[in-house]
């Protein structure tokens, strides 16, 4: 039985992203009250103990936190080579945690894309230190198995399935669209999405999942209003009067689908494409769903079951170490 009552949580926390903050809240909700989370965060959290997330000055506090924590949990979108730092940031911390005596585990983690051989080699080395793995989607599962074919990797889902989102009965006579877009390097996908949004007959409300997305949404013609809900539950609640949705960010898409909206997904990366494939939504050449798709029952049931399995495994792991 370990004496320590700390757990180190490492993700993209405290950077203003709706999804990552929801992930953090869900994990902490599944911790015993006797365990204090130490959180790598871009700003001070209102719960647990926050430590600097990035930069050279973050390392002393990270190493101390790892030495005090029997386990370090890595979660959310990690090990992605959109930039080299997207690989090394998490790879180095996985290795460092292990060398400080903290067990690195992945729960609800999204891995990839990993396009370069150097990125794959770096990630493979880091993953050799990991002791328990639940990834959040099939794409991450396939990447993990390709790098670590002997590893006991399990398919989980996103931590936001912890939150109960009532599925609404839609009033087709009063169509309203919820719109979520983000800035992205490939302008053609944004232009295509905006064109389809403008063709929708009915009021449109912009729902930003990050404050930096507000200007883009405000620039779309005929937008009734634009808001930035403070958390995942509030985002889903903001969909209450809507019947349709267009979503680009992963957690915005999840909130719309779980609310029952008929949704077009803007598949700018693999995780959103996985969502589209999961609900049977085919995409055009720019990665946008051809049709508005309501979430099928098996999508909701499957992810609920995957979450329960992941949650039970997480709780069992915590009980075994504390």
């Amino acid at each position: 039985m370990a004496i320590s009552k700390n757990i180190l949580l490492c993700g993209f926390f405290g950077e203003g992203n709706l999804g990552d903050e929801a992930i953090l809240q869900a994990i902490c909700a599944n911790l015993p009250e006797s365990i204090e989370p130490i959180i790598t965060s871009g700003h001070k959290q209102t719960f647990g103990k926050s430590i600097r997330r990035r930069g050279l000055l973050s390392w002393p506090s990270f190493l101390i936190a790892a030495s005090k924590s029997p386990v370090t949990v890595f979660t959310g979108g990690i090990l992605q080579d959109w930039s080299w730092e997207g690989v090394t940031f998490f790879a180095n911390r996985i290795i460092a945690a292990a060398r400080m005596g903290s067990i690195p585990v992945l729960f609800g983690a999204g891995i990839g894309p990993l396009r370069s051989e150097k990125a794959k080699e770096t990630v493979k080395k880091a993953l050799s230190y990991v002791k328990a793995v639940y990834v959040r989607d099939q794409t991450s599962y396939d990447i993990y198995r390709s790098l670590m074919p002997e590893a006991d990797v399990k398919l989980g889902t996103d931590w936001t399935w912890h939150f109960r989102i009532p599925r609404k009965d839609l009033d087709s006579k009063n169509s309203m669209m919820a719109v979520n877009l983000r800035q992205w390097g490939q302008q053609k996908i944004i232009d295509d999405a905006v064109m389809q949004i403008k063709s929708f007959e009915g009021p449109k409300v912009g729902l930003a999942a990050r404050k930096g997305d507000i200007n883009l949404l405000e620039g779309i013609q005929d937008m009734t209003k634009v808001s930035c809900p403070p958390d995942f539950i509030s985002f889903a609640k903001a969909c209450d009067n809507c019947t349709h949705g267009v979503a680009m960010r992963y957690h915005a898409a999840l909130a719309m689908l779980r609310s029952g909206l008929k949704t077009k997904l803007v598949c700018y990366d693999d995780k959103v494409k996985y969502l589209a494939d999961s609900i049977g939504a085919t995409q055009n050449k720019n990665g946008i769903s051809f049709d508005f798709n309501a979430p099928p029952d098996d999508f909701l049931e499957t992810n609920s079951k995957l979450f329960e399995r992941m949650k039970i495994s997480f709780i069992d792991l915590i009980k075994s170490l504390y």
Side-chain angles (χ1 to χ4, degrees):
M1 178 70 68
I3 297 174
S4 174
K5 291 295 183 178
N6 290 126
I7 185 170
L8 180 54
L9 306 180
C10 189
F12 197 69
F13 306 131
E15 300 291 348
N17 279 347
L18 179 92
D20 293 292
E21 300 311 299
I23 289 168
L24 177 60
Q25 292 169 12
I27 293 176
C28 291
N30 285 281
L31 290 174
E33 290 184 3
S34 59
I35 298 177
E36 181 185 37
I38 303 175
I39 304 158
T40 62
S41 182
H43 65 72
K44 185 174 176 59
Q45 299 287 342
T46 57
F47 49 87
K49 178 183 178 182
S50 301
I51 59 174
R52 186 188 293 264
R53 195 184 79 81
R54 60 184 300 184
L56 288 175
L57 294 178
S58 70
W59 275 107
S61 56
F62 181 88
L63 295 174
I64 292 170
S67 70
K68 293 180 177 180
S69 304
V71 64
T72 299
V73 181
F74 294 85
T75 188
I78 64 173
L79 301 170
Q80 303 169 331
D81 69 353
W82 295 115
S83 67
W84 183 236
E85 185 190 19
V87 174
T88 58
F89 178 90
F90 289 104
N92 289 340
R93 282 161 178 78
I94 289 171
I95 296 170
R99 291 183 175 172
M100 295 305 294
S102 185
I103 300 171
V105 298
L106 274 55
F107 276 85
I111 298 174
L114 295 173
R115 295 159 295 184
S116 74
E117 290 303 316
K118 186 177 181 181
K120 292 175 184 177
E121 181 181 338
T122 301
V123 170
K124 183 176 181 178
K125 180 180 179 180
L127 294 182
S128 68
Y129 290 86
V130 173
K131 301 303 181 185
V133 186
Y134 275 84
V135 292
R136 72 180 177 191
D137 55 60
Q138 187 66 46
T139 303
S140 299
Y141 180 89
D142 293 341
I143 291 173
Y144 205 107
R145 288 301 302 271
S146 70
L147 296 174
M148 308 291 291
E150 304 301 320
D152 184 20
V153 55
K154 295 180 174 65
L155 181 62
T157 190
D158 192 79
W159 275 101
T160 53
W161 287 88
H162 163 81
F163 301 105
R164 288 185 171 275
I165 306 295
R167 190 176 181 184
K168 294 171 284 294
D169 294 325
L170 303 181
D171 182 358
S172 59
K173 295 180 181 179
N174 298 296
S175 296
M176 180 181 288
M177 177 188 281
V179 178
N180 168 265
L181 294 178
R182 61 163 295 171
Q183 300 289 349
W184 190 243
Q186 298 179 21
Q187 187 61 35
K188 63 181 180 180
I189 193 171
I190 303 294
D191 293 341
D192 190 349
V194 169
M195 182 176 65
Q196 297 193 41
I197 291 164
K198 287 181 177 179
S199 69
F200 180 81
E201 295 182 1
K204 309 171 188 69
V205 294
L207 298 178
R210 184 180 174 90
K211 289 183 178 179
D213 300 339
I214 292 176
N215 287 342
L216 174 61
L217 293 171
E218 288 180 335
I220 299 175
Q221 187 178 358
D222 298 328
M223 195 71 72
T224 303
K225 66 176 182 178
V226 174
S227 63
C228 186
D231 53 50
F232 188 76
I233 294 291
S234 300
F235 192 102
K237 183 70 175 174
C239 297
D240 274 355
N241 295 321
C242 298
T243 55
H244 296 72
V246 171
M248 188 168 180
R249 287 194 182 272
Y250 178 78
H251 289 96
L254 268 181
M256 290 185 192
L257 289 170
R258 292 184 61 196
S259 296
L261 272 60
K262 296 178 180 178
T263 305
K264 281 192 176 189
L265 300 183
V266 182
C267 305
Y268 74 100
D269 72 354
D270 289 343
K271 62 180 179 291
V272 183
K273 187 178 187 309
Y274 173 74
L275 268 187
D277 293 342
S278 297
I279 63 171
T282 55
Q283 304 105 51
N284 66 17
K285 64 180 181 180
N286 290 325
I288 300 176
S289 305
F290 282 111
D291 302 306
F292 288 99
N293 296 90
D297 289 339
D298 62 350
F299 168 76
L300 301 171
E301 293 169 4
T302 297
N303 280 280
S304 294
K305 290 177 181 178
L306 288 172
F307 177 73
E308 284 302 312
R309 185 179 74 158
M310 184 178 78
K311 181 181 78 171
I312 290 170
S313 180
F314 178 75
I315 291 173
D316 288 345
L317 174 69
I318 298 304
K319 287 180 178 177
S320 71
L321 292 171
Y322 292 84

